[in-house]
Amino acid sequence: MTRSFQTRIDAEQKIEPKDWMPEKYRQTLIRQISQHAHSEVIGEQPEGNWITRAPSLERKAILLAKVQDEAGHGLYLYAAAETLGITREELIDRLHTGASKYASIFNYPSLTWADVGAIGWLVDSAAIVNQVSLQNTSYGPYARAMVRICKEESFHQRQGYNIMMTLMQGNEQQRAMAQDALDRWWWPSLMMFGPHDGESAHSAQSMKWKIKRRSNDDLRQQYVDQAVQQALAIGLKVPDPALAWNEERGHYDFGDIDWEEFERVIKGNGPCNRQRLAHHVEAHAEGVWVREAMACYDKKRRSRRHDAA
Ligand code: 3HC
């Protein structure tokens, strides 16, 4: 069975929920898809922090739409994870107990309005680079969720970059605010692509199963090459003294990532880890009545259908 499974993967066939799959393939997908979903939902917090303080009604409406989109992305991805035989309750429980991660970048504080721009521009750009590649992942429900999510991400990235561009066309204080945001969000955005390929615990198998289609470093390099050009275009300085265009490679060389910081943050000791999780636990508890009402409605609807049949 395992050999024919790999033959299907090698033939670029999509694996669907009812297909046979190695248990480790299933567990890897549950791990990655659930952490992706958690990231979408926790990622609403740093930006949501600025909805009531947006500088104009238009910026407020745009930010509201983006944060609402992220909740929807979480929903698509939780639904994709549930096709692998795990319940929503189990997924949320793994988040709350720390058994399941979410993207380290969301454990940094959003201190100024420019951070909303930097998050939209840098974080959503990184997400797009990764998610475009995941549209070809071997698991059908995940690939289809990615196609839908990618359609919305470009608006997310564009509105963030527009905030940064507007600030850079502003006064000295606004330009300094934009540069400060880039200084704080640049390196954590590079960490979004995970450890270097040689240090990645999962990449080799995930690439073999075509869950991952491109390596962490390959995706990161594409991201750096495009983000640096975007920064230069609006007069921002990337906070990396080692950054230099390498004509021979046709890419930017860049400095070393602080993997000690990365490990600290993914182990729960980042600036906002406790706050982010506590907020999610509290919001989840407050929402129990909604879930109970929906479950009750669904039960009634099913029994009415049953009686009518
Ligand atoms: N933050 C937190 N944990 C990370 C991480 C990060 N940036 N990068 C890697 N890790 C973790 C991995 O989860 C793994 O830990 P685990 O075994 O407990 O799951 C460990 O570090 C080793 O990393 P690997 O590279 O070996 O792990 P993966 O093969 O899973 O690759 C990944 C990591 C590239 C993040 C991959 O899981 C992936 O592509 N995930 C889907 C994309 C995703 O989750 N993006 C998160 C951001 S979503 C977002 O930004 C939404 C936007 O709209 C705002």
Side-chain angles (χ1 to χ4, degrees):
M1 292 286 262
T2 310
R3 192 148 11 131
S4 63
F5 175 80
Q6 192 60 49
T7 309
R8 289 193 62 197
I9 294 285
D10 296 342
E12 293 291 340
Q13 287 179 21
K14 285 285 180 263
I15 305 301
E16 296 300 334
K18 290 195 171 30
D19 293 341
W20 183 87
M21 62 184 82
E23 185 51 24
K24 205 166 171 309
Y25 177 84
R26 181 192 304 277
Q27 290 309 326
T28 299
L29 283 168
I30 288 174
R31 177 186 62 81
Q32 176 163 331
I33 300 173
S34 62
Q35 293 183 159
H36 198 160
H38 299 330
S39 302
E40 299 279 3
V41 172
I42 297 281
E44 293 178 69
Q45 291 189 35
E47 289 171 313
N49 184 25
W50 282 88
I51 289 173
T52 55
R53 295 183 282 170
S56 71
L57 183 58
E58 186 192 19
R59 289 291 187 198
K60 180 177 188 156
I62 292 171
L63 185 56
L64 261 173
K66 179 192 192 292
V67 171
Q68 188 179 326
D69 278 352
E70 306 300 7
H73 296 177
L75 190 63
Y76 306 151
L77 289 163
Y78 282 130
E82 287 163 19
T83 65
L84 291 154
I86 187 167
T87 66
R88 183 72 59 90
E89 289 72 20
E90 287 169 308
L91 292 168
I92 300 303
D93 189 54
R94 287 187 183 188
L95 171 65
H96 288 174
T97 58
S100 198
K101 294 185 170 72
Y102 56 89
S104 52
I105 191 137
F106 297 124
N107 288 309
Y108 292 83
S110 51
L111 302 175
T112 71
W113 173 252
D115 286 36
V116 176
I119 293 170
W121 167 39
L122 295 173
V123 176
D124 285 73
S125 288
I128 290 169
V129 168
N130 183 307
Q131 291 167 169
V132 164
S133 162
L134 283 170
Q135 289 179 124
N136 296 311
T137 190
S138 56
Y139 187 57
Y142 194 21
R144 292 188 288 272
M146 283 297 99
V147 170
R148 176 127 187 223
I149 286 175
C150 283
K151 285 194 170 76
E152 293 172 343
E153 288 294 6
S154 47
F155 143 60
H156 297 175
Q157 188 270 356
R158 188 68 51 82
Q159 64 84 37
Y161 190 60
N162 182 265
I163 289 172
M164 298 302 269
M165 186 167 63
T166 306
L167 288 168
M168 289 307 284
Q169 291 163 353
N171 61 33
E172 195 182 330
Q173 195 193 357
Q174 288 166 324
R175 291 196 297 276
M177 185 164 58
Q179 183 61 56
D180 164 62
L182 175 59
D183 293 348
R184 284 183 288 108
W185 290 93
W186 174 257
W187 290 104
S189 68
L190 268 60
M191 295 174 193
M192 285 180 67
F193 296 95
H196 285 307
D197 296 345
E199 312 297 318
S200 164
H202 303 294
S203 285
Q205 184 60 62
S206 287
M207 296 280 277
K208 191 163 181 286
W209 277 332
K210 298 191 178 178
I211 292 172
K212 237 182 202 179
R213 300 311 305 259
R214 291 174 59 193
S215 78
N216 296 359
D217 285 327
D218 183 28
L219 292 170
R220 191 176 2 250
Q221 183 66 69
Q222 177 190 334
Y223 170 74
V224 168
D225 290 347
Q226 70 185 38
V228 168
Q229 293 294 336
Q230 291 163 352
L232 292 173
I234 57 176
L236 281 166
K237 189 176 177 334
V238 172
D240 178 0
L243 188 74
W245 177 253
N246 183 319
E247 196 54 47
E248 203 181 309
R249 285 197 324 121
H251 294 291
Y252 277 97
D253 293 334
F254 53 93
D256 294 335
I257 294 169
D258 181 347
W259 294 111
E260 281 177 20
E261 176 183 332
F262 173 76
E263 285 303 324
R264 221 176 21 254
V265 176
I266 68 171
K267 287 194 168 70
N269 302 313
C272 298
N273 295 57
R274 287 173 191 74
Q275 173 190 338
R276 298 285 186 248
L277 216 45
H279 183 90
H280 191 283
V281 169
E282 185 188 352
H284 192 69
E286 279 174 5
V288 66
W289 68 273
V290 176
R291 294 192 295 277
E292 284 173 355
M294 294 299 285
C296 183
Y297 169 74
D298 191 43
K299 199 165 161 228
K300 269 214 172 36
R301 192 167 57 110
R302 286 171 193 268
S303 68
R304 269 204 299 273
R305 266 207 197 142
H306 180 265
D307 297 348

